[in-house]
Amino acid sequence: MRSLFRTARAAAIACLALTAIAPAPAVVAQAAARAATAKSEPLTIVTKAGPKRFDVEVMRDDAARARGLMFRRHMAADHGMLFDFEQDQPVTMWMKNTYLPLDMVFIRPDGTISRIAADTEPLSTAIIPSGGPVLAVLELNAGTAAKLGIAPGDRIEHGMFKAR
């Protein structure tokens, strides 16, 4: 019995030691998110009130699109994330593991905005549909579209839309 107790205690101590030195998944995810923010590209939205400029991170592959803004707690007011879906198709988004409320701007291949899903709910698994075929989705801080007068029909200027 005493031997069993010692073995269990040793196993518990070993588990505690491993927990202390192994980084938590959220810490790893936050470090990856910070690393991803290093590269950005300019993007302009041409509105009726004039051009609105942003620096955006562009997600061009499945892994980057899946990660998106997950686990981030802050995004500068003049920043965003642009998801390149590589072809014109209906898309769906969600906010799982995304702490920031966002405006999702759905963009056609010619760079025009087709739809805006404003003030999406953080940490939700509710599906947010594009409402039709789009090439890209731009995520901005919630309220940005309304504040700057960004609306369906406005045009996005970015290299993604010139090259196609």
Side-chain angles (χ1 to χ4, degrees):
M1 181 76 155
R2 207 175 219 176
S3 175
L4 182 61
F5 176 74
R6 285 186 185 143
T7 303
R9 187 174 72 180
I13 291 169
C15 285
L16 288 173
L18 285 175
T19 303
I21 60 172
V27 172
V28 172
Q30 288 174 348
R34 280 192 299 278
T37 63
K39 298 177 185 176
S40 64
E41 301 174 14
L43 176 143
T44 301
I45 304 174
V46 180
T47 72
K48 290 177 182 162
K52 309 301 179 194
R53 291 177 177 77
F54 297 89
D55 287 321
V56 296
E57 297 170 55
V58 182
M59 304 294 106
R60 291 185 169 97
D61 60 47
D62 289 339
R65 285 187 292 265
R67 183 179 61 250
L69 286 168
M70 280 200 237
F71 304 108
R72 296 201 200 175
R73 303 260 181 191
H74 175 75
M75 182 168 62
D78 63 344
H79 282 66
M81 182 168 283
L82 182 63
F83 294 79
D84 179 357
F85 288 98
E86 301 180 48
Q87 59 184 349
D88 191 21
Q89 61 186 347
V91 300
T92 57
M93 306 289 281
W94 68 349
M95 297 286 290
K96 184 177 181 179
N97 298 320
T98 304
Y99 293 93
L100 303 170
L102 300 170
D103 287 345
M104 292 186 186
V105 180
F106 296 91
I107 310 164
R108 295 182 188 104
D110 67 357
T112 59
I113 297 173
S114 65
R115 175 178 184 270
I116 299 172
D119 299 312
T120 57
E121 181 184 354
L123 304 173
S124 172
T125 56
I127 300 299
I128 303 161
S130 60
V134 296
L135 178 65
V137 176
L138 173 64
E139 292 182 340
L140 302 170
N141 285 308
T144 300
K147 178 180 171 184
L148 300 179
I150 299 168
D154 288 347
R155 193 178 76 255
I156 306 290
E157 293 179 347
H158 181 271
M160 177 188 308
F161 306 105
K162 294 177 184 172
R164 297 174 201 233

